[in-house]
Amino acid sequence: MAIKIVANLACSFIGTIAYAVMFQVPRRFYIGCGITGSVGWMIYKLASVYCSVAVASFIGTVCTVLVARMLTVRLKCPITIFLISGIITLVPGAGIYFTAYYLVTNQLAMAAVKGLGAVKVAFAIVLGIVCIVSIPREVFQKEYWIERKLKKQQKGKI
């Protein structure tokens, strides 16, 4: 069991970094990209035990985008650097492949099943991205929470 977890972590980390290298992400962001992809994949694997693949993809995407937003604020760079690299582990590539395969081999019922599954996962990914990206950037900055705490303390004194 532990070997599977370590293998999943290593593969998702290396795969995400490889994707970042392929799309010429600056070197200083490689580790952040790897962490983003690994977090999303591990959350997905954990959630897929308890719920459907689409729901697990949504949960994994939410965690991926949260990590990407935090790294974006911390490292002062665009979110796309971490978001695109991190989401790649969750993209339903096999579902899309088998949809095309079943269409070519004239197995339309199987193509419909695989295609619908891939569309559900893709929609879950989009929904997860929208949910987190709609949160204002200030929420991910430490100063926001310090200022908020100070205002709360001043209200209590009045």
Side-chain angles (χ1 to χ4, degrees):
M1 181 74 169
I3 293 173
K4 280 187 177 183
I5 293 171
V6 171
N8 271 303
L9 270 171
C11 288
S12 61
F13 187 82
I14 292 167
T16 305
I17 290 176
Y19 190 80
V21 169
M22 188 170 71
F23 283 94
Q24 299 175 356
V25 170
R27 284 185 183 201
R28 67 179 188 268
F29 300 127
Y30 286 169
I31 301 298
C33 290
I35 290 169
T36 305
S38 294
V39 166
W41 181 251
M42 292 310 292
I43 298 295
Y44 165 79
K45 290 295 278 183
L46 182 66
S48 65
V49 172
Y50 301 106
C51 54
S52 71
V53 174
V55 174
S57 294
F58 173 76
I59 295 167
T61 301
V62 166
C63 293
T64 300
V65 181
L66 275 172
V67 171
R69 287 292 301 261
M70 287 184 234
L71 288 171
T72 296
V73 170
R74 184 106 168 130
L75 300 174
K76 294 180 173 76
C77 64
I79 191 170
T80 53
I81 288 175
F82 302 113
L83 182 62
I84 302 301
S85 298
I87 291 296
I88 198 66
T89 58
L90 301 171
V91 172
I96 295 168
Y97 168 80
F98 283 115
T99 301
Y101 173 78
Y102 289 131
L103 281 172
V104 170
T105 59
N106 205 25
Q107 299 177 35
L108 300 180
M110 285 300 295
V113 168
K114 291 292 184 180
L116 186 60
V119 167
K120 285 179 188 177
V121 171
F123 186 71
I125 291 171
V126 170
L127 205 61
I129 292 170
V130 168
C131 285
I132 302 303
V133 172
S134 64
I135 299 171
R137 184 180 177 107
E138 293 80 33
V139 173
F140 294 95
Q141 295 175 340
K142 189 167 63 169
E143 293 83 22
Y144 171 81
W145 295 102
I146 292 170
E147 184 179 311
R148 188 173 170 174
K149 187 177 179 181
L150 289 174
K151 283 182 181 178
K152 199 178 222 183
Q153 288 175 351
Q154 287 174 352
K155 268 189 177 179
K157 290 180 181 179
I158 296 176

